[in-house]
Amino acid sequence: MLDHALPSVAIFLSITRLQNIHGENIAFGKDAKQSSTTTGYSAIRALDITYSKVGSVTGAGNPSWWEVDLRGYFSISNITLTASDSGYVSNLKNAYVEVMDKDVSLCPDVQVEWCGNVSSTVARKEKFTFTCNATFPIRFVRVTRRSSSNVKLNIGHIDVQGVGATKRCRSYYTPTTKRKVSIPSLTTSAITAGDCGILCQRNHSCIDFSYSTTASSEANCLLTKKEVPKNSVANIAWTMYTLDNCL
C-alpha cells in the first residue's frame, strides 16, 4: 500500500471531479494567473463579479494572457466573458478563449480546443459567450490577446459553465515533510497517505491534503480547498501533499 514515506503518491482511478450544480460558475474561487499585472488588478478579480467594473488587467505584453486552473476535470458547455465598465474596456477586443487538459507552461503534450474570439469592437459591460466542443476533460481555461505590438488584456468577469467529467488519470502528489495544511475543509481518517489522496480525489472541492501516521486515527487526513503552500504551517508530525499540475 502507498504511504507518505514514498517520494510521491501515485493514484490510479477513474474519477469524476467537482460535479457542478447547473448555473454555478465553476471557475469561482479557483486559482487564476496572468502574464503580468497592472497594479491593483490581479487575475483573481476576473472570477469575482464583485470586481467586474474593472476586473483583471495585465501589463502590456505580446501576447498577454489570463488563465484559471479549475483544479478538477470538466466538460465545459460555455464560457462567457464580460467586458469591464472602465477605461480598460478596449483591452478585451480580439481576445480568444481556449481550454486545455494540462498546464501549457509545464506539460509538452497538452490538448487544446479553441472556443471562440471577441470581436474587434467592445462596448462596456458587453458579454461574449462561447461554446466549447472539446472531446477531452478540461482543467484549464485561457484567454489570450495578441497584436502587432504590446497590448494589455482586461477581463471584467468570466463565467465558466460545465459539469464534472470522468478522466482516467495517474495523479501524482508531491510531498513536503514537516508541514500540514492550516485550513482544512475536511478532517477525516485514512489508513495510508495513498488512501488520503484517494479521498481528496473523490471530494468535490479538495485541492491538496495532509497525512500523519501519529495523529488520531479519526483525524489523520486533512483535505483542503485552499491554495497550498500559503495554507500551510510547520508541524513535525505531518506531511503535506500537493497535486502536480502536469497529469
Side-chain angles (χ1 to χ4, degrees):
M1 290 188 290
L2 299 169
D3 206 330
H4 75 287
L6 297 175
S8 63
V9 172
I11 299 171
F12 297 82
L13 72 165
S14 182
I15 58 173
T16 300
R17 296 297 303 273
L18 302 178
Q19 292 291 347
N20 177 46
I21 299 173
H22 180 70
E24 178 187 357
N25 181 3
I26 59 176
F28 179 73
K30 303 299 175 59
D31 302 331
K33 62 182 179 180
Q34 55 193 13
S35 52
S36 59
T37 299
T38 292
T39 302
Y41 303 107
S42 63
I44 199 71
R45 289 169 59 95
L47 298 176
D48 189 339
I49 199 167
T50 304
Y51 301 109
S52 61
K53 181 175 177 60
V54 180
S56 64
V57 187
T58 70
N62 192 20
S64 290
W65 54 265
W66 177 98
E67 182 181 277
V68 61
D69 180 354
L70 298 174
R71 296 312 297 246
Y73 295 100
F74 294 87
S75 175
I76 303 298
S77 55
N78 58 73
I79 297 171
T80 299
L81 293 181
T82 302
S84 69
D85 186 16
S86 74
Y88 288 113
V89 64
S90 63
N91 290 304
L92 184 60
K93 65 181 183 180
N94 297 319
Y96 58 90
V97 180
E98 297 172 300
V99 292
M100 299 167 285
D101 65 334
K102 300 178 184 178
D103 189 336
V104 70
S105 66
L106 298 176
C107 310
D109 57 343
V110 179
Q111 295 184 87
V112 180
E113 182 72 24
W114 183 84
C115 300
N117 64 276
V118 175
S119 63
S120 59
T121 58
V122 179
R124 292 189 177 203
K125 302 172 70 173
E126 186 172 0
K127 294 181 182 294
F128 300 88
T129 299
F130 309 106
T131 301
C132 298
N133 297 311
T135 58
F136 52 89
I138 302 303
R139 178 170 167 178
F140 295 88
V141 175
R142 176 174 280 221
V143 182
T144 305
R145 187 168 182 240
R146 297 179 183 272
S147 183
S148 57
S149 59
N150 288 342
V151 291
K152 293 185 177 183
L153 170 64
N154 171 220
I155 303 173
H157 185 243
I158 184 167
D159 183 286
V160 182
Q161 296 290 310
V163 295
T166 300
K167 177 181 176 66
R168 179 69 184 179
C169 68
R170 178 174 182 172
S171 297
Y172 284 99
Y173 289 89
T174 301
T176 303
T177 59
K178 301 180 181 179
R179 294 198 74 83
K180 74 171 183 176
V181 299
S182 59
I183 310 175
S185 54
L186 177 65
T187 299
T188 186
S189 62
I191 299 174
T192 67
D195 292 328
C196 188
I198 290 173
L199 292 176
C200 182
Q201 289 277 0
R202 290 175 176 170
N203 187 276
H204 77 284
S205 60
C206 181
I207 295 176
D208 304 296
F209 67 95
S210 294
Y211 179 76
S212 173
T213 56
T214 59
S216 165
S217 60
E218 299 302 314
N220 63 356
C221 174
L222 308 179
L223 310 185
T224 183
K225 58 183 178 181
K226 300 291 183 180
E227 184 180 356
V228 173
K230 291 181 182 178
N231 167 34
S232 67
V233 293
N235 191 302
I236 194 171
W238 290 80
T239 298
M240 182 177 67
Y241 294 86
T242 304
L243 181 63
D244 288 351
N245 283 329
C246 193
L247 303 180

